[in-house]
Amino acid sequence: MSEFFTETIVISILAAMVRIGAPLILAAIGELIAERAGVINLGVEGMMLMGCFLGFFVTFETGSILAGIGAAMVGAMLMSLIMAFMAITLRLEQFVTGLALNLLASGLTLFWFRSLLKTIGSTQPNIDLLEKAPIPFLSDIPYLGIIVFSHNWLVYLAILSVPICSFFLYKTKYGLELRCLGENPRAIDMKGLSVAKRQYLAVLFGGMMAGLAGAFISVGSSIRFVPEMTAGRGWLAIVIVIAGNWQPKWILVAALVFAFLEAFQMHVQAVGINFPYQILLALPYVVAVIALMHRRARSRAPASLGVAYSRGS
Amino acid sequence: MLEQLQIKNLTKRFGTVIANDRVTFDVRRGEIHCLFGENGAGKSTLAECIYGTYRSESGTICFNGELVEFNSPRDAIQLGIGMIHQHFVLVPPLTVLENIIVGTEDAKVLLNTQKAENKFKELCARYELKLNGHAAIWDLSVGEQQWVEILKALYLDVKFLILDEPTAVLTPEESDKLFRILNVMKRQGISIVLITHKLKEVMQSDRVTVMRKGKIINTVDTKSTTREQLTHMMISSELAVQGLKKKINSESTVVQIKKLDVRGPRGGYAVKDLNLTLNSHEIVGIAGVAGNGQKELFETLVGIQSPESGEVWLDTEDITHWSPAEILAAGVGHIPQDRYREGLIGQLSIVDNLLLGMHRSPRFAQRGFLDQERVRAFVQEQVDQFEIVAPSIDTVVGNLSGGNAQKVVLARELFQASVVLLANQPTRGLDISIADYVHRQLLEKRKEGYAILLASEELDELIKLSDRIVVMFKGQIAGEFVADNPDLEQIGLLMAGGNL
Ligand SMILES: Nc1ncnc2c1ncn2[C@@H]1O[C@H](COP(=O)(O)OP(=O)(O)O)[C@@H](O)[C@H]1O
Ligand SMILES: [Mg+2]
């Protein structure tokens, strides 16, 4: 076991943690904004999967990764528009709507995969990966350079999204409105501000971030698309928001913890240590359950989360 | 232009309930105008129509002489209309300042808290309010929260302020302070509409408009009217509870509480070494300021909390550790202190709320299925009997007025209870005629032989209804009195923690 903890491997684990954490952070920050507005979007997994497929497919068709990422964001946003319409305008049960969207995305992407990608040839189509973009100078810093500053730009965007989100929530007027919205939408309504408009925007933003996270999983880390490629990461993002107690900085920490467990598990397998890897595979999810149990006791969930607002008549 | 607001023939319906029926109402510039009426008279609805929360079906609103149409509170706010709602519209985890500045023009993209804080401090100084702008709302007392609501309106430089029962949550001293604030506002030319059902407050206004059952009864100058006239305008029927309470002699013990200790929410004892007996045909009143262990005592008696030590006996059975369902089945009814949180499920209909606890009884359910027809017939019967005013029996109780909501609790508990009734502040926040209705029901049950425990903060109520009065202070019984001409001074002293 001791040969496992060499400098190279530890650095490699930490670098993998940052890379694996990036889509979790992106999706979780998006979900945070939606939940702070009072809408619980359980469709994150589906929106990520949609982004994942569209990102790959459009990149494959056009040869432009940027176009792929753009398509991923737009596709996921369209799904979140459905979510918003159902949850805010029609005031339907948000849980059910989110679950339905996941099924929709799962079915659609599988269908498109079979009809659009399988028929192209006997070999599965593949694309060029989003290139790494080490940041000049910063990437030369010992340890940190490799761990943090030698990834593709989506990773940097993910990391930056945390302080930006924090600044937005706590220092801008829109952030203040958002914080009120999830706690007591009536307070916003009675100041003459539109509750629905703000909730729509928040849910759409959440969709966009989920799309981005999905695109990361395909064009950012794989040359192929595989059905159900997101593999529960959207659900993990929802858990991360809860474990992070609806605060950006703790969401970053929670995402990195999950990413670390995953990275650790991958390295243990790769190095071939004699340990039942199934247990390690389950680790992030076990930790997720423990984190949720712990949170139950002193949760700072927005008070009106999941409750559709209506003024009366 | 004397009239700042003129409303003509405004009508507003909720389903089949006409909340405002061709209301005509005007407010003069710089006056304090009371809107006076019972619960459910339609006062809040009228206020929300003025503020743009609700849209009226017909009628006109003129503000500053111009015809206006309010589609949302935004339109009203832009004309300088402010409103303090009947229930707080605050965001508890956020700070006082954040609650005040959200949605105001002062906040550009970036929050300018310094400027806001200066204005906040200036307002606090002008109205002699002591508030820490950086305290979170949930750390404030209810009184302080009400000051925040008022500051929210003042911060927007309102010219016209509606206050919907603002004193319901205030102590008498705080209420006096509120009136000082209102008078300062008045001197600055702000017109004030004050909604209340307390006569004492009405008498401090310039004019009064009395509402009853959605209609305006009259508008009069306060100086030229009397309390009696106003009460007469407000309630349709004369009240006469006095004659009902005759001494009945049957002293069989029903409930015995022995050396009861119950832990409070924050460690400590909420109820300490409490002994009490309840007899049939008897109402025992608990005098005391809320929060002295009444809630814990009641919850222990119905099995929601379990005591640390001590015993509770119902007739010959030790029910100390029975479950709430078992205690309910034994015939103990409970009217909890907070009707919306503990007595009702706000999002469910009258039908569902009335059925709670009986939904398993063979009368309404066979093999796990509810017999809808029977249930609905039963509920309709109860709604008729208790005169619950609602568009239909499927109306969600969250939309009912306080009085009607309490009647739903009352109907259910009175129907289920057969021996004991535990009523914790059953008339809190209700107007005179509904409170009177509750009183009659309690006395009726007393006559039928129930043992009744009644906690109230209003001594008048206890004296009117009880056979015995015990004073509860810090979880203990501080003294016991017979209810015929008790020494009020002594009771007051004990309630405040003094010794005789
Ligand atoms: N949102 C609503 N939905 C249905 N009925 C309502 C609603 N608001 C008020 N009502 C009904 O309208 C009537 C007037 O209520 P309200 O204006 O709250 O009276 P008040 O403020 O004088 O106590 C009551 O019968 C009440 O049940
Ligand atoms: Mg009211």
Side-chain angles (χ1 to χ4, degrees):
Chain A
M1 196 79 188
S2 67
E3 76 274 21
F4 181 67
F5 291 104
T6 60
E7 199 175 290
T8 349
I9 291 186
V10 170
I11 289 179
S12 169
I13 291 179
L14 292 179
M17 168 187 82
V18 173
R19 194 180 63 243
I20 294 167
L24 295 178
I25 296 170
L26 288 170
I29 290 291
E31 178 69 7
L32 169 71
I33 296 296
E35 291 197 11
R36 279 299 188 118
V39 181
I40 183 154
N41 176 10
L42 290 193
V44 193
E45 175 79 10
M47 292 174 198
M48 276 176 80
L49 191 57
M50 185 59 80
C52 197
F53 175 83
L54 288 177
F56 176 84
F57 181 69
V58 173
T59 304
F60 176 73
E61 287 290 325
T62 63
S64 156
I65 287 191
L66 273 185
I69 293 175
M73 284 161 53
V74 171
M77 270 172 94
L78 283 178
M79 285 186 66
S80 63
L81 189 62
I82 302 178
M83 174 81 211
F85 181 70
M86 301 278 213
I88 302 161
T89 307
L90 300 184
R91 289 197 252 128
L92 297 179
E93 181 60 54
Q94 297 178 9
F95 279 57
V96 180
T97 311
L99 294 180
L101 284 176
N102 287 335
L103 291 176
L104 176 74
S106 172
L108 268 184
T109 51
L110 183 63
F111 171 66
W112 285 334
F113 171 72
R114 295 232 171 104
S115 59
L116 298 174
L117 292 179
K118 279 281 186 159
T119 53
I120 288 171
S122 51
T123 54
Q124 243 208 9
N126 53 29
I127 55 167
D128 294 332
L129 213 54
L130 181 59
E131 269 168 33
K132 288 214 166 110
I135 301 178
F137 307 115
L138 289 179
S139 57
D140 297 333
I141 302 173
Y143 305 118
L144 268 189
I146 298 180
I147 296 172
V148 184
F149 300 111
S150 305
H151 298 281
N152 64 42
W153 60 267
L154 273 177
V155 174
Y156 308 140
L157 185 68
I159 296 171
L160 275 180
S161 73
V162 177
I164 293 174
C165 173
S166 209
F167 181 82
F168 172 79
L169 272 180
Y170 298 106
K171 296 278 187 258
T172 71
K173 107 184 198 184
Y174 305 109
L176 175 59
E177 288 167 12
L178 200 64
R179 282 185 289 143
C180 289
L181 214 48
E183 295 290 342
N184 186 359
R186 201 173 149 77
I188 291 296
D189 190 24
M190 289 301 129
K191 289 252 184 159
L193 306 176
S194 164
V195 170
K197 179 173 134 197
R198 282 162 181 76
Q199 289 185 328
Y200 259 88
L201 287 174
V203 173
L204 284 176
F205 176 79
M208 186 187 82
M209 294 297 271
L212 204 54
F216 184 95
I217 290 171
S218 56
V219 302
S221 45
S222 166
I223 55 168
R224 294 218 172 84
F225 176 81
V226 189
E228 299 300 330
M229 199 171 183
T230 44
R233 287 192 188 80
W235 293 108
L236 213 46
I238 293 170
V239 173
I240 286 167
V241 173
I242 300 169
N245 217 7
W246 290 269
Q247 287 161 19
K249 59 173 187 278
W250 293 114
I251 283 177
L252 175 68
V253 171
L256 289 179
V257 167
F258 287 123
F260 175 81
L261 293 171
E262 175 92 19
F264 180 71
Q265 172 268 120
M266 278 165 45
H267 280 77
V268 168
Q269 277 193 67
V271 172
I273 289 177
N274 189 12
F275 188 83
Y277 73 95
Q278 290 89 342
I279 292 184
L280 293 176
L281 270 179
L283 211 55
Y285 302 95
V286 173
V287 171
V289 171
I290 294 171
L292 287 183
M293 292 192 303
H294 178 64
R295 263 299 160 234
R296 257 201 76 74
R298 40 197 195 89
S299 156
R300 278 291 329 272
S304 308
L305 185 58
V307 186
Y309 177 68
S310 112
R311 189 190 275 172
S313 29
Chain B
M1 189 64 235
L2 201 57
E3 275 84 25
Q4 185 160 27
L5 175 82
Q6 277 179 305
I7 292 179
K8 283 212 177 73
N9 289 322
L10 183 143
T11 298
K12 171 73 191 164
R13 285 193 181 85
F14 293 107
T16 53
V17 174
I18 305 183
N20 284 170
D21 188 1
R22 280 165 289 150
V23 163
T24 294
F25 175 64
D26 66 81
V27 179
R28 293 179 190 152
R29 200 177 297 277
E31 76 169 342
I32 297 183
H33 193 132
C34 260
L35 197 51
F36 181 59
E38 299 179 314
N39 270 314
K43 308 179 298 289
S44 296
T45 305
L46 178 58
E48 298 290 0
C49 285
I50 300 173
Y51 192 60
T53 317
Y54 297 151
R55 290 193 65 177
S56 56
E57 268 115 61
S58 61
T60 55
I61 303 178
C62 283
F63 194 73
N64 287 335
E66 276 173 44
L67 193 65
V68 289
E69 194 166 337
F70 294 155
N71 293 317
S72 118
R74 146 154 271 157
D75 302 328
I77 292 169
Q78 268 166 0
L79 290 179
I81 299 177
M83 177 156 178
I84 314 286
H85 300 267
Q86 188 164 2
H87 303 287
F88 289 135
V89 190
L90 295 169
V91 185
L94 266 51
T95 66
V96 171
L97 263 175
E98 286 174 325
N99 269 278
I100 292 175
I101 62 176
V102 64
T104 63
E105 289 301 319
D106 264 3
K108 295 279 177 296
V109 174
L110 295 189
L111 293 173
N112 184 350
T113 39
Q114 195 51 53
K115 193 170 153 211
E117 190 162 357
N118 291 342
K119 185 165 176 187
F120 165 78
K121 285 199 172 130
E122 192 259 316
L123 283 171
C124 281
R126 192 188 319 163
Y127 293 98
E128 292 172 23
L129 291 169
K130 282 202 187 62
L131 268 181
N132 172 5
H134 298 284
I137 298 293
W138 56 26
D139 288 331
L140 302 183
S141 70
V142 276
E144 288 170 321
Q145 296 187 19
Q146 192 64 284
W147 304 146
V148 178
E149 286 285 18
I150 288 173
L151 284 167
K152 268 167 68 180
L154 291 172
Y155 191 87
L156 286 167
D157 296 319
V158 294
K159 304 281 178 298
F160 188 102
L161 182 62
I162 308 161
L163 300 101
D164 194 350
E165 306 207 12
T167 57
V169 295
L170 301 182
T171 63
E173 293 77 43
E174 286 169 334
S175 298
D176 291 343
K177 183 163 177 179
L178 176 72
F179 274 90
R180 285 201 298 278
I181 294 174
L182 292 184
N183 280 310
V184 177
M185 287 187 204
K186 180 183 156 179
R187 259 178 266 127
Q188 306 194 340
I190 301 176
S191 318
I192 292 160
V193 175
L194 178 73
I195 298 177
T196 181
H197 58 243
K198 296 184 186 160
L199 272 170
K200 179 170 175 260
E201 292 164 13
V202 173
M203 299 320 283
Q204 302 181 53
S205 65
D206 298 313
R207 286 199 303 159
V208 200
T209 293
V210 183
M211 275 188 95
R212 184 168 81 209
K213 294 195 174 147
K215 292 200 175 74
I216 299 287
I217 301 301
N218 204 354
T219 299
V220 291
D221 283 332
T222 312
K223 275 200 279 318
S224 61
T225 187
T226 63
R227 288 165 180 251
E228 288 69 31
Q229 281 177 334
L230 286 172
T231 315
H232 191 76
M233 280 192 261
M234 178 175 83
I235 45 181
S236 23
S237 61
E238 299 294 326
L239 310 171
V241 135
Q242 270 71 14
L244 263 162
K245 188 182 143 191
K246 291 199 198 82
K247 184 96 192 116
I248 306 168
N249 283 318
S250 163
E251 306 289 287
S252 67
T253 302
V254 179
V255 177
Q256 257 190 305
I257 304 166
K258 300 177 186 164
K259 289 186 177 287
L260 196 69
D261 286 341
V262 185
R263 287 263 180 205
R266 282 174 285 278
Y269 285 98
V271 176
K272 185 78 190 133
D273 197 22
L274 187 137
N275 295 293
L276 190 65
T277 15
L278 307 180
N279 301 318
S280 64
H281 291 291
E282 183 186 50
I283 296 182
V284 176
I286 297 184
V289 179
N292 273 299
Q294 293 96 325
K295 182 174 152 74
E296 287 79 4
L297 172 63
F298 279 76
E299 292 194 343
T300 307
L301 295 181
V302 292
I304 300 172
Q305 296 202 32
S306 46
E308 183 153 286
S309 61
E311 290 167 18
V312 181
W313 288 74
L314 180 65
D315 284 331
T316 52
E317 297 204 77
D318 181 354
I319 62 163
T320 319
H321 297 288
W322 285 19
S323 72
E326 289 166 327
I327 294 177
L328 185 66
V332 179
H334 179 214
I335 300 172
Q337 176 181 327
D338 186 338
R339 66 186 75 104
Y340 288 107
R341 267 204 215 163
E342 292 143 12
L344 297 165
I345 302 175
Q347 297 86 343
L348 293 188
S349 67
I350 297 179
V351 177
D352 294 340
N353 272 286
L354 260 174
L355 198 63
L356 278 180
M358 286 179 270
H359 54 282
R360 284 164 167 243
S361 84
R363 179 172 168 189
F364 299 113
Q366 273 91 36
R367 280 175 248 101
F369 289 95
L370 286 174
D371 183 342
Q372 284 299 342
E373 225 162 280
R374 244 194 232 185
V375 168
R376 296 180 71 83
F378 162 74
V379 169
Q380 189 61 54
E381 199 178 289
Q382 295 292 311
V383 165
D384 292 343
Q385 188 192 331
F386 283 82
E387 293 166 14
I388 297 169
V389 183
S392 92
I393 57 174
D394 295 308
T395 307
V396 294
V397 296
N399 287 344
L400 296 180
S401 69
N404 283 311
Q406 185 71 327
K407 280 181 171 179
V408 174
V409 178
L410 208 61
R412 183 185 66 215
E413 296 302 322
L414 290 185
F415 187 83
Q416 296 189 49
S418 54
V419 246
V420 178
L421 196 60
L422 306 167
N424 193 0
Q425 314 254 17
T427 59
R428 181 188 248 183
L430 303 184
D431 64 60
I432 309 173
S433 73
I434 303 233
D436 183 67
Y437 184 87
V438 174
H439 292 166
R440 283 163 190 271
Q441 293 291 334
L442 292 179
L443 287 172
E444 189 57 34
K445 291 296 157 186
R446 169 178 174 268
K447 208 164 101 194
E448 289 173 20
Y450 284 60
I452 299 171
L453 187 62
L454 166 73
S456 174
E457 285 186 297
E458 315 230 352
L459 268 182
D460 292 350
E461 179 173 71
L462 292 175
I463 291 167
K464 185 161 129 191
L465 299 174
S466 317
D467 298 279
R468 284 185 286 146
I469 294 177
V470 296
V471 181
M472 205 163 165
F473 181 74
K474 290 210 168 147
Q476 289 182 306
I477 299 230
E480 181 168 336
F481 300 82
V482 284
D484 290 334
N485 290 323
D487 188 330
L488 291 181
E489 252 170 58
Q490 286 191 358
I491 294 182
L493 194 67
L494 290 177
M495 280 170 64
N499 289 312
L500 295 183

